[in-house]
Amino acid sequence: MKKEIIIGCLLVIMLAAAFVNIHYLNKLTDDITHLIEESGAYAEKSDWVQAEQKAEEAAKRWSDSESYTHLVLRHSELESTTDAIYGYMERIYAREKESAKGAAQAAISRLKSISSIEKIKPGSIF
């Protein structure tokens, strides 16, 4: 009986850790998505200084979370998201309004994909 209680406690701890991980990852991706959206809004108004500042904030937030993201995300997801964020910054620095809009959508799509992949679904449990 003692073993079953220990195993049950470990399962509860693992489930709690999964929920904490999902919450943190959703907050991270939502924060970065919001910064990219703000940057895109400034780019639409041709306020390139503010657009660059918000894009740099988004990239910094992403790079500052490396110790976490390198542990919980697959390398391919991590690399493609990093490429998308920095690809967006490249378009902002070049002051290309139309291509910046597409690059922003690509980066946001990658971020949303990461958060949706990590959600707990019946198919990922059974």
Side-chain angles (χ1 to χ4, degrees), residues 52-73:
E52 287 175 11
Q53 182 185 20
K54 292 297 180 180
E56 288 168 357
E57 273 184 65
K60 182 170 179 10
R61 179 82 170 95
W62 180 251
S63 66
D64 286 349
S65 66
E66 277 184 357
S67 59
Y68 168 75
T69 57
H70 280 80
L71 290 174
V72 300
L73 297 176

Side-chain angles (χ1 to χ4, degrees), residues 117 119-126:
I117 288 171
K119 288 184 180 170
I120 294 176
K121 301 172 219 136
S124 64
I125 297 172
F126 301 107

Side-chain angles (χ1 to χ4, degrees), residues 25 29-30 32-33 36 62 73-86 102-118:
L25 187 61
T29 57
D30 287 348
I32 296 169
T33 297
I36 291 172
W62 180 251
L73 297 176
R74 288 184 288 246
H75 183 70
S76 60
E77 294 167 354
L78 184 65
E79 193 172 276
S80 66
T81 304
T82 301
D83 289 346
I85 291 170
Y86 284 97
Q105 290 178 355
I108 290 168
S109 174
R110 287 300 316 143
L111 290 162
K112 286 183 179 180
S113 173
I114 285 174
S115 64
S116 72
I117 288 171
E118 294 298 318

Side-chain angles (χ1 to χ4, degrees), residues 23-37:
H23 174 72
Y24 182 80
L25 187 61
N26 283 337
K27 181 170 178 3
L28 174 67
T29 57
D30 287 348
D31 289 350
I32 296 169
T33 297
H34 183 68
L35 288 167
I36 291 172
E37 287 171 343

